[in-house]
Amino acid sequence: MTFVLDASAVLRFLDNEPGALEVERLIKDAAIGAHDLLMSAANWGEVFYIVLKAHGVVSAENIENRFQSLPINVLSVDPIVAREAAEFRFRFKVPFADSFAGALALRNNATLITADNDFRVVGNALKVSFLPNKSKGRTP
């Protein structure tokens, strides 16, 4: 089984917010080979930017060092992947950075792990597991 993490899932894990334990479980299971964890380099860049903007370069670099030790395969963006992301954005009208996670999940027949409600529009076109809302507990 394969899972794709988007930026919101990684940020929930790093910030110990609702859903952090679910992401931590996925990471622990990936470390023992129970499944694969993927992330687009575009979404990793989004995580780095958000931490950099909120906490500065030292925090962002600390997160980068921590992240590199996790069993998450960060996949590069090439012209084919960029096109798939653009098509995903066109089809579902999600923000462009999110489209990289969605396209990666489609390409790998994976389940997307996210806290981002923008993915609710994909319906049955993509397997999505939503992390809990920050204020209301688990989403249906």
Side-chain angles (χ1 to χ4, degrees), residues 39-66:
M39 185 174 202
S40 169
N43 299 117
W44 162 244
E46 186 180 13
V47 170
F48 189 87
Y49 167 75
I50 289 168
V51 174
L52 181 66
K53 182 179 176 187
H55 305 289
V57 69
V58 172
S59 291
E61 289 173 347
N62 287 339
I63 293 297
E64 182 176 34
N65 291 334
R66 179 178 172 199

Side-chain angles (χ1 to χ4, degrees), residues 80-112:
I80 294 169
V81 171
R83 178 188 170 138
E84 289 173 357
E87 290 170 346
F88 190 92
R89 175 173 166 67
F90 179 79
R91 182 175 174 194
F92 297 110
K93 312 299 186 256
V94 299
F96 193 56
D98 292 339
S99 68
F100 283 90
L104 183 61
L106 277 178
R107 172 183 267 229
N108 289 279
N109 194 28
T111 300
L112 176 64

Side-chain angles (χ1 to χ4, degrees), residues 5-22:
L5 300 175
D6 76 346
S8 68
V10 171
L11 289 167
R12 290 287 182 92
F13 170 71
L14 294 173
D15 294 338
N16 198 29
E17 294 178 334
L21 292 177
E22 292 171 59

